[in-house]
Amino acid sequence: MGIRSDLEENFDFEIIDEFLDHYAMMVESMEVMILDLSKPNMYERSVNELFRVFHNIKSASGYLKIIPMNKLAAFVEDELESLRQKKPPVSDETTDWLLNISDMFAVWNDDLRQNNKLGKIKYSLLKIPDLEK
């Protein structure tokens, strides 16, 4: 059995379907927001939107008990809170890190759609770039 089957055993199909639709939209929007962090006029809006995206993923995945997704979303949300206090632009290292995070969530989106078990978190994603650069 895959992740979707596991979810459907414990939750209503409509809840799962709604989560998958919203999650896919959030994952699709991440890359543009991340790239916009390098634009001073877009920084504040983008960092706040990214924070909301990861907060929503954290909340929904926690409710659905999708533990790896929940943990990574919480981890990234904490780092985005730090970025909210920083002046633009972010470093290339931070942008690359966030793009790699986005890729991990995209892999999970595919896993969910195909009813596969979620791929494991890449440990390189847990190395936080120096946000002071």
Side-chain angles (χ1 to χ4, degrees):
M1 282 185 12
I3 182 77
R4 190 169 177 162
S5 301
D6 292 343
L7 291 172
E8 289 173 357
E9 284 183 16
N10 298 313
F11 299 97
D12 182 85
F13 173 77
E14 287 182 26
I15 292 172
I16 304 303
D17 203 39
E18 187 174 332
F19 167 74
L20 292 174
D21 288 343
H22 289 294
Y23 179 70
M25 286 188 299
M26 289 185 283
V27 169
E28 287 174 18
S29 68
M30 281 181 197
E31 187 173 322
V32 170
M33 289 184 276
I34 292 166
L35 294 173
D36 281 349
L37 290 172
S38 65
K39 301 173 185 170
N41 63 326
M42 297 294 293
Y43 182 85
E44 186 177 348
R45 179 177 181 214
S46 295
V47 75
N48 287 329
E49 280 297 313
L50 280 168
F51 181 87
R52 280 190 282 281
V53 163
F54 283 98
H55 180 77
N56 288 338
I57 291 172
K58 179 186 80 171
S59 298
S61 61
Y63 175 75
L64 295 172
K65 297 177 177 68
I66 307 172
I67 304 305
M69 185 182 293
N70 177 261
K71 287 184 176 185
L72 186 57
F75 180 72
V76 175
E77 180 188 39
D78 288 345
E79 296 313 308
L80 287 168
E81 182 59 35
S82 296
L83 285 177
R84 289 169 100 180
Q85 310 307 316
K86 188 180 177 303
K87 293 190 188 292
V90 296
S91 69
D92 290 343
E93 183 184 16
T94 299
T95 300
D96 291 345
W97 177 70
L98 287 168
L99 289 171
N100 287 328
I101 294 282
S102 174
D103 290 345
M104 183 79 255
F105 281 93
V107 166
W108 285 339
N109 185 47
D110 292 342
D111 289 342
L112 288 164
R113 294 282 174 196
Q114 296 170 15
N115 197 25
N116 295 330
K117 292 232 178 248
L118 289 188
K120 293 189 184 232
I121 295 174
K122 296 175 188 173
Y123 287 105
S124 61
L125 298 178
L126 302 179
K127 182 183 181 289
I128 304 165
D130 182 0
L131 300 179
E132 297 304 314
K133 286 185 180 180

